Amino acid sequence: MPDDFFDDLNDLAPVNESDYNIDSSGEVESGLSKLASLVEDINHDLRPETILNRVISASIELTGAERGFLVLVSENGEWKFSVAKNMETDIDDAESAVSRTIIRKVLESRRPLLVNDVVGSSDLTKQQSIARMQVRSVMGAPLISKGKLLGAAYVDTSKLAGVFDQTSLVLFETFVHLAAVALENARLIKLEVESKAKYKELQEYLATILKSQPHGLLILDENCRIEYANPQAKLFLGEIVKPGIKLCDAGCFDLVLMDEIKQALKLFLEEKREYRDQVKLGGRTLAYSFFNVQKDREGRLQTGMVLEDISAQKVLERKLIESEKRSTVNQLAGGIAHEINNSLQPVKGRVELLSMRLERKGVEIDEGINKDLTTISALTERIEKIAKNLRHLTKPAAPNLEQVDLKRLITSTVELLDTTTGSLRGFSTDSQNSEFALILNIADNLAPITGDSHGLESAFINIILNSVHAIREKKTGHLRISAFPSKGGIEVAFADTGTGIHPEVLPHIFEPYYTTKGETGTGL
């Protein structure tokens, strides 16, 4: 780099305001008018790169300079040439075309500087650098906005000395100062635009995350007013759940559930501990929990509420419990069946032996005793079959199919429950107006069917017992049993006037081990 021809001018000092000798002619007024026009022009487009180019062009126009340069200062204090105007070479060569001393002194002093006759005020005319640069007049002014040094503007001439005067300097300094303000405003606007773009991008990113969540998410204020609800929360609770409405006014929870949620929220806020519970809502099982949210700009307390659909999990849990029940009951049933068989075989043998002894001794057996012996024998066979089926609770055995007379089967089942077990005792078959009535409406022309007589008998007994319990719970009523040909088969119907099945129980009546009879029921 060639020698800077100002390097030896150590006594070069910035211009003081007291040194200004402004021309009082019309040039000032004309200059101010041009200044106002140029300032308005640079503020049309507040992009930093556009302002920089317009500033140096306007500086040349305002001062009558031949060339112009702009230097910007970085955050760490380093500076570099950013704009060069009317140069024959590239901006990279600007450092060799201007005086770094002038620029450095302008930056260090933060004051304007004017050298109106380089040749006349210097004894360095013989130096090659002056001849090479061909510089006659120089002005520099700092770019300062709100006390912050942004850089410096530099203009010069190479043809004539005395082109610049104090009026030119004042106008130049004023213009550069206003340009610095415009440049700083442009920088701030650019930062604001970038910040808004980043904020919008962050909002979109956060919204995408919240919308893609499989869980419902609510943000509540201290009064349980909804401030945010993601789409999944609206799917769970309904479209009325939206910002501005209180959760209790959304209608998604009844008063009892809403009170439970409020109490849970209160415990969470007061005890600062995790809380998780679940509610039944619209056929779903929802687990809910809370989490802390930072206070908003106004200092209001906010709480997040997470809603998770655990319906499938509950189904799996129920199936697992039922599977464990089946396994346990199957093990118990095997042991019980074994003990029943061990005790039943002697009873069965004794009945047969008693009949043989009485017959051998020629003892005449009346009809009642013979009926009792026959009943005992039939019941032992039934108990034997029940014990056998106990081993197949979780995996029923293949049915024993045979020809079945349904009328006889229904009649014998009713007789068993009346005379033997006493379950139908007190049910009149003569009058429908009795306190408890049993009405049999069985067709005479029922053809035999193929079926498992023991399985059918067990089903009839259970249905009849359930009806009897419902009627006795109501203190009065009747049970009607009907059987008649229908569509190539036989339809058997049981109807009673008991308490009936509650709607919430109805979906569960075929589930194993489900019972409404407390400890007395098995659900089998």
Side-chain angles (χ1 to χ4, degrees):
M1 174 177 162
D3 296 334
D4 188 332
F5 68 91
F6 286 106
D7 281 348
D8 293 335
L9 300 184
N10 295 323
D11 59 343
L12 189 64
V15 178
N16 294 315
E17 293 181 6
S18 59
D19 297 332
Y20 290 167
N21 183 19
I22 300 176
D23 184 5
S24 59
S25 67
E27 293 184 16
V28 175
E29 185 177 349
S30 174
L32 290 175
S33 176
K34 182 182 289 187
L35 174 66
S37 176
L38 293 174
V39 169
E40 183 179 355
D41 181 61
I42 67 170
N43 281 286
H44 281 164
D45 189 341
L46 289 179
R47 288 177 298 176
E49 59 276 8
T50 304
I51 290 178
L52 290 173
N53 280 289
R54 287 183 174 178
V55 165
I56 201 61
S57 297
S59 296
I60 293 174
E61 180 182 350
L62 183 66
T63 61
E66 296 174 10
R67 299 184 308 174
F69 304 88
L70 269 181
V71 170
L72 295 183
V73 178
S74 63
E75 294 292 336
N76 58 8
E78 296 182 356
W79 50 276
K80 67 175 183 177
F81 288 87
S82 298
V83 181
K85 210 72 171 177
N86 297 343
M87 274 188 63
E88 295 179 359
T89 57
D90 192 78
I91 190 173
D92 294 334
D93 299 323
E95 292 189 13
S96 62
V98 300
S99 171
R100 295 175 61 86
T101 303
I102 293 290
I103 294 174
R104 184 171 64 251
K105 287 188 175 292
V106 169
L107 293 175
E108 290 176 353
S109 66
R110 294 194 173 199
R111 290 182 181 180
L113 193 148
L114 167 63
V115 180
N116 211 3
D117 186 357
V118 172
V119 176
S121 63
S122 165
D123 60 351
L124 303 176
T125 54
K126 296 181 181 180
Q127 288 202 14
Q128 296 180 0
S129 59
I130 295 179
R132 182 167 49 251
M133 291 188 214
Q134 299 293 317
V135 176
R136 301 299 298 272
S137 297
V138 177
M139 274 199 306
L143 285 160
I144 298 176
S145 175
K146 299 179 181 178
K148 180 180 179 182
L149 180 65
L150 306 180
Y154 172 103
V155 293
D156 64 19
T157 63
S158 60
K159 296 179 181 179
L160 298 173
V163 173
F164 307 138
D165 56 18
Q166 295 296 336
T167 302
S168 301
L169 183 64
V170 171
L171 292 173
F172 178 57
E173 179 190 9
T174 304
F175 176 72
V176 170
H177 174 71
L178 294 175
V181 173
L183 189 61
E184 179 66 8
N185 288 341
R187 187 186 69 83
L188 294 176
I189 291 172
K190 183 179 179 181
L191 288 176
E192 182 183 7
V193 171
E194 291 175 351
S195 298
K196 285 183 177 179
K198 288 182 180 179
Y199 178 70
K200 184 179 179 181
E201 183 181 347
L202 182 61
Q203 278 190 317
E204 291 174 351
Y205 176 69
L206 181 60
T208 301
I209 292 177
L210 294 177
K211 288 178 181 178
S212 63
Q213 283 293 310
H215 306 324
L217 179 64
L218 298 174
I219 303 298
L220 308 174
D221 67 8
E222 52 195 358
N223 297 317
C224 254
R225 190 180 301 277
I226 299 170
E227 296 197 347
Y228 172 80
N230 72 343
Q232 199 67 11
K234 295 180 181 179
L235 178 64
F236 290 158
L237 305 179
E239 286 295 330
I240 194 173
V241 174
K242 54 187 178 182
I245 190 172
K246 283 190 175 182
L247 187 59
C248 57
D249 296 334
C252 43
F253 299 113
D254 59 33
L255 294 178
V256 175
L257 286 179
M258 194 63 235
D259 188 58
E260 291 179 3
I261 292 173
K262 283 184 177 180
Q263 291 299 321
L265 179 57
K266 183 178 179 182
L267 284 174
F268 171 78
L269 294 174
E270 290 180 353
E271 300 183 10
K272 304 298 181 184
R273 63 179 176 87
E274 292 186 4
Y275 189 93
R276 182 180 174 88
D277 206 342
Q278 57 190 34
V279 294
K280 291 277 189 180
L281 190 65
R284 286 190 175 104
T285 302
L286 298 179
Y288 67 90
S289 57
F290 302 105
F291 63 93
N292 284 315
V293 179
Q294 291 184 347
K295 293 181 179 180
D296 63 12
R297 288 177 296 179
E298 298 178 2
R300 295 177 301 175
L301 185 65
Q302 295 174 303
T303 305
M305 182 178 183
V306 178
L307 298 165
E308 180 183 358
D309 188 349
I310 58 171
S311 304
Q313 177 183 332
K314 285 297 177 182
V315 171
L316 291 176
E317 288 178 358
R318 187 164 60 248
K319 287 183 178 180
L320 180 61
I321 292 172
E322 289 175 0
S323 176
E324 292 176 347
K325 280 184 178 180
R326 289 191 184 98
S327 177
T328 303
V329 171
N330 203 29
Q331 293 177 13
L332 290 174
I336 294 171
H338 180 73
E339 294 299 325
I340 290 176
N341 276 328
N342 288 344
S343 301
L344 188 62
Q345 293 305 320
V347 175
K348 185 177 180 181
R350 291 284 179 173
V351 171
E352 293 176 355
L353 183 60
L354 179 60
S355 298
M356 290 173 58
R357 284 179 178 177
L358 291 174
E359 185 179 352
R360 190 178 299 165
K361 290 184 178 183
V363 177
E364 185 177 351
I365 303 174
D366 61 25
E367 184 179 351
I369 294 176
N370 189 45
K371 185 177 180 181
D372 289 341
L373 291 173
T374 302
T375 299
I376 293 173
S377 180
L379 287 176
T380 55
E381 290 181 3
R382 172 173 168 74
I383 294 171
E384 188 177 19
K385 289 181 180 178
I386 292 174
K388 182 180 179 181
N389 287 338
L390 277 175
R391 296 172 180 170
H392 307 288
L393 282 175
T394 57
K395 189 177 180 181
N400 182 24
L401 299 178
E402 57 185 353
Q403 292 294 300
V404 179
D405 183 344
L406 272 181
K407 182 171 183 178
R408 180 181 176 187
L409 182 62
I410 294 173
T411 304
S412 64
T413 301
V414 169
E415 185 178 353
L416 175 69
L417 293 174
D418 182 20
T419 60
T420 304
T421 67
S423 300
L424 283 172
R425 193 167 292 132
F427 276 74
S428 172
T429 57
D430 300 326
S431 173
Q432 297 185 21
N433 297 323
S434 300
E435 185 178 12
F436 300 109
L438 175 63
I439 304 166
L440 296 177
N441 185 15
I442 304 174
D444 294 326
N445 58 342
L446 295 179
I449 64 165
T450 301
D452 185 334
S453 59
H454 174 67
L456 289 170
E457 183 186 44
S458 295
F460 294 163
I461 288 174
N462 279 287
I463 293 174
I464 292 171
L465 288 177
N466 282 336
S467 293
V468 168
H469 293 157
I471 292 171
R472 292 192 188 281
E473 186 179 339
K474 201 174 179 181
K475 309 300 184 184
T476 184
H478 64 263
L479 166 63
R480 180 187 296 274
I481 303 174
S482 305
F484 48 87
S486 175
K487 299 179 182 180
I490 297 175
E491 182 176 317
V492 181
F494 298 83
D496 65 68
T497 59
T499 55
I501 302 177
H502 295 291
E504 61 269 19
V505 173
L506 198 57
H508 306 285
I509 60 174
F510 293 111
E511 293 179 9
Y513 315 110
Y514 182 83
T515 179
T516 60
K517 298 176 182 176
E519 295 181 357
T520 61
T522 62
L524 299 176

